[in-house]
Amino acid sequence: MSETHDATEAQLALEVRELSFTYSGRPALDDVSLAVRAGEFVVLLGPNGAGKTTLFSLITRLHDRRRGEIRIGGFDVRRQAVQAHARIGAVFQQPTLDLDLSVMQNLAYHGALHGMSRGEAKSRALAQLERVGLADQRRTRVRRLSGGQRRRVEIARGLMHEPRLLLLDEPTVGLDIASRRDLVAHAHRLCAEAGVAVLWATHLIDEVRRGDRVAVLHRGRLLADEQGEALTARLGVETLGEAFDRLVGDEEAACE
Amino acid sequence: MRVMPWLHCLRGVVGRELLRFLHQRSRFLAALVRPLVWLFVFAAGFRMALGVAMTEPYQTYILYEVYIVPGLVGMIQLFNGMQSSLSMVYDREMGSMRVLLVSPFPRWYLLVCKLLASTLVSVVQVYVFLAIAWAYGIQAPAMGYLYLLPALLVTGFMVGALGLLLSSFIRQLENFAGVMNFVIFPMFFLSSALYPLWRIREGSYLVYQIAALNPFTHAVEMIRFAMYERFNGEAVLISVAVAAVLLVLAILGYNPSRGMMARKGNAG
């Protein structure tokens, strides 16, 4: 019995169980449970202030004064922090590249932070840059790249240590429509090709693709967690937008 | 436990800090001009008003310019430590702190790497400053420049850890001007950097008492004695102890579950 339990746990790239977090007296996350399997693409959909960034901060252990459990690939982020952290790749909401350094210097720094030798970091960085189509820009200063290119560099960086889980926190903020579409497509390819589990946080409903699983977060609570099509069918509405309004609307009504 | 990955991490953090320093020429220039202005303008003007009688560790009567140099070395490190620790967290750099902290290495180790990196940057600044002072005619014994190195490491850790500690829990000090007014200036002026303690005592006993308690005074005296090939045990002991305590507090401040980071939270 326990063996099968362990086996399923290992397959889960991310497992969040009954997670609650209070921020200055106000619950920022309230009893959130969420699981993402290897190779799965999950859109974490919610308006600004829903608790998406808080959830990411807790997963990456920027802070962790919380109730509940978080496991990455079966490893508890608190008790087995080293193993858990090594399996997370993250693209944060705000840009985190060093503008004055070259693309390669940025990636080499990240490699070193994950304990890679200079040579290993370089070869891994090159492989990831090729994947995002920026290998020939590796000596360019980040300052001279476009917003979309910078995001792709950050994704390449997030994947250098071959994480099992890639977290992206509103990665398309500030990008034009074409770059946004490219980025969404690229993240999906990663799932399909490399088996990376992706948790993509956004407030933009049009970033949800057919077949994506959608987790709707509102005011710190998870209101829905199922495939987009199944969600619209269950609520008897045409579009995901309507489904979202319905869910959020019910929530507002319940609060009053 | 394998050692190499830890060294790679350290190399990465130090290398990045040095690269950034090389790229930010204006920061380097500012860091250099500040003490030079003090030396050439302030000290040269005071030279007439204030000779310094024989004081330890000096063997003879000295010019005021000679007296002020160790204090200015301390000032370089003070500014650098505050700047790098605070900029790491605030401004557009909040992101780079996150990049550092998602590394799988333990947080205390990452912070120590970071402090060592910023300390080494300040050491480079100090030696360039001392080279210019040398050319100007303020020359310490040759070995003094070597003995100075460990003193610089201790001071660098002390002020860097203080900056980290401040950055971890004081939200109001978000701009550098605030830190300058409430931390850097009091620490610098209420110390033995500009005047010997006995001289301050003649002026005001209260200020003297504050300066004698100020850890920066002891850091400056440690630097001053080291530069003249002397070992000031009391100053070293106090400086190392203060650096260690601040380091522990800064690490606690960045502990994700107990520290102030948790209290600050992050909406969104």
Side-chain angles (χ1 to χ4, degrees):
Chain A
M1 179 65 202
S2 72
E3 266 175 35
T4 46
H5 176 72
D6 285 347
T8 34
E9 259 195 0
Q11 279 165 13
L12 288 175
L14 169 69
E15 188 182 19
V16 173
R17 223 186 274 163
E18 293 159 14
L19 183 67
S20 297
F21 180 73
T22 317
Y23 172 59
S24 42
R26 186 178 61 91
L29 287 176
D30 187 8
D31 200 21
V32 170
S33 293
L34 181 73
V36 186
R37 288 189 305 275
E40 198 175 17
F41 192 100
V42 177
V43 179
L44 183 65
L45 191 65
N48 292 326
K52 303 190 295 290
T53 301
T54 304
L55 178 59
F56 279 17
S57 299
L58 291 172
I59 294 174
T60 54
R61 214 161 162 257
L62 204 63
H63 33 81
D64 73 353
R65 188 184 283 180
R66 47 143 171 111
R67 282 203 314 279
E69 199 179 8
I70 304 174
R71 286 175 173 274
I72 314 289
F75 293 104
D76 186 291
V77 295
R78 214 180 250 170
R79 285 190 300 263
Q80 295 153 305
V82 175
Q83 294 96 323
H85 259 82
R87 285 165 176 75
I88 304 174
V91 175
F92 296 109
Q93 196 171 341
Q94 65 273 63
T96 54
L97 292 170
D98 233 312
L99 297 180
D100 293 316
L101 303 188
S102 74
V103 170
M104 191 48 102
Q105 284 168 338
N106 267 286
L107 296 191
Y109 172 56
H110 178 81
L113 284 181
H114 277 80
M116 295 177 204
S117 74
R118 216 183 287 249
E120 189 186 3
K122 215 161 238 179
S123 67
R124 285 186 183 219
L126 206 56
Q128 292 302 334
L129 284 175
E130 259 156 25
R131 188 180 241 161
V132 295
L134 286 170
D136 48 350
Q137 303 272 13
R138 61 185 181 276
R139 290 198 184 84
T140 312
R141 273 200 196 193
V142 171
R143 195 180 288 282
R144 293 176 52 197
L145 298 181
S146 72
Q149 287 173 323
R150 288 180 196 181
R151 276 304 186 196
R152 272 147 65 199
V153 171
E154 287 185 305
I155 290 178
R157 179 178 65 182
L159 291 172
M160 269 175 71
H161 53 288
E162 294 174 349
R164 302 316 300 155
L165 172 71
L166 183 63
L167 302 170
L168 299 113
D169 191 3
E170 309 224 2
T172 57
V173 166
L175 298 187
D176 59 38
I177 294 172
S179 314
R180 262 178 63 191
R181 219 173 16 223
D182 285 351
L183 209 60
V184 174
H186 181 70
H188 276 88
R189 263 202 309 280
L190 283 174
C191 275
E193 288 170 11
V196 178
V198 174
L199 185 59
W200 176 288
T202 184
H203 63 273
L204 302 168
I205 287 169
D206 64 337
E207 287 179 0
V208 181
R209 276 194 172 186
R210 182 171 283 278
D212 285 347
R213 209 175 104 202
V214 182
V216 178
L217 192 66
H218 181 61
R219 292 185 173 166
R221 293 184 49 218
L222 207 57
L223 301 184
D225 178 12
E226 57 198 303
Q227 225 184 22
E229 289 75 19
L231 178 63
T232 48
R234 178 165 67 84
L235 295 174
V237 291
E238 290 288 311
T239 64
L240 206 54
E242 286 172 70
F244 182 75
D245 288 344
R246 176 77 65 83
L247 285 170
V248 171
D250 284 354
E251 172 85 344
E252 311 266 284
C255 284
E256 279 157 18
Chain B
M1 192 171 60
R2 288 165 61 218
V3 177
M4 281 317 283
W6 294 70
L7 293 180
H8 289 311
C9 177
L10 175 64
R11 167 186 54 78
V13 175
V14 171
R16 171 181 177 271
E17 197 81 7
L18 288 173
L19 265 178
R20 278 172 55 82
F21 174 65
L22 289 177
H23 282 294
Q24 296 176 329
R25 291 204 185 80
S26 59
R27 182 177 150 203
F28 182 39
L29 218 62
L32 211 52
V33 165
R34 204 177 296 119
L36 287 176
V37 166
W38 276 92
L39 183 62
F40 293 146
V41 182
F42 180 81
F46 257 58
R47 186 180 189 167
M48 305 304 161
L50 197 90
V52 178
M54 222 157 82
T55 320
E56 291 252 54
Y58 304 102
Q59 310 286 339
T60 167
Y61 289 90
I62 52 163
L63 286 174
Y64 184 59
E65 285 120 303
V66 175
Y67 178 81
I68 201 178
V69 164
L72 295 179
V73 166
M75 184 178 84
I76 293 173
Q77 293 201 284
L78 187 58
F79 265 89
N80 183 76
M82 290 291 155
Q83 221 162 9
S84 71
S85 290
L86 291 174
S87 74
M88 190 159 84
V89 177
Y90 299 114
D91 310 333
R92 60 188 176 81
E93 294 221 351
M94 183 60 199
S96 76
M97 190 67 193
R98 290 193 163 203
V99 172
L100 185 73
L101 296 185
V102 295
S103 160
F105 289 99
R107 202 156 286 193
W108 67 262
Y109 181 68
L110 295 170
L111 294 174
V112 167
C113 286
K114 185 77 194 172
L115 283 179
L116 184 62
S118 78
T119 300
L120 289 179
V121 166
S122 78
V123 167
V124 174
Q125 293 173 354
V126 163
Y127 278 109
V128 173
F129 168 72
L130 287 177
I132 296 173
W134 172 279
Y136 179 67
I138 299 166
Q139 302 172 347
M143 284 309 282
Y145 291 95
L146 186 65
Y147 298 147
L148 181 62
L149 189 59
L152 294 180
L153 293 180
V154 173
T155 311
F157 261 84
M158 183 171 112
V159 292
L162 176 64
L164 265 186
L165 183 62
L166 289 176
S167 71
S168 74
F169 74 97
I170 302 182
R171 297 192 87 178
Q172 279 76 19
L173 288 181
E174 289 193 14
N175 58 47
F176 195 62
V179 176
M180 234 156 79
N181 281 329
F182 295 108
V183 181
I184 295 183
F185 282 164
M187 269 187 94
F188 180 64
F189 288 119
L190 293 171
S191 77
S192 62
L194 293 178
Y195 321 101
L197 281 181
W198 61 265
R199 192 116 210 181
I200 299 176
R201 190 177 195 159
E202 283 173 2
S204 153
Y205 190 69
L206 179 67
V207 175
Y208 160 75
Q209 279 179 314
I210 296 172
L213 287 175
N214 184 354
F216 189 69
T217 293
H218 299 283
V220 167
E221 290 312 306
M222 172 176 65
I223 290 170
R224 190 188 309 284
F225 276 68
M227 259 184 91
Y228 290 87
E229 303 175 306
R230 295 276 302 278
F231 181 79
N232 185 334
E234 188 194 347
V236 172
L237 205 67
I238 292 175
S239 300
V240 169
V242 170
V245 168
L246 287 174
L247 183 61
V248 168
L249 290 177
I251 288 169
L252 286 179
Y254 274 90
N255 182 307
S257 45
R258 268 178 303 171
M260 306 296 180
M261 287 291 276
R263 221 164 293 165
K264 265 203 302 203
N266 201 334

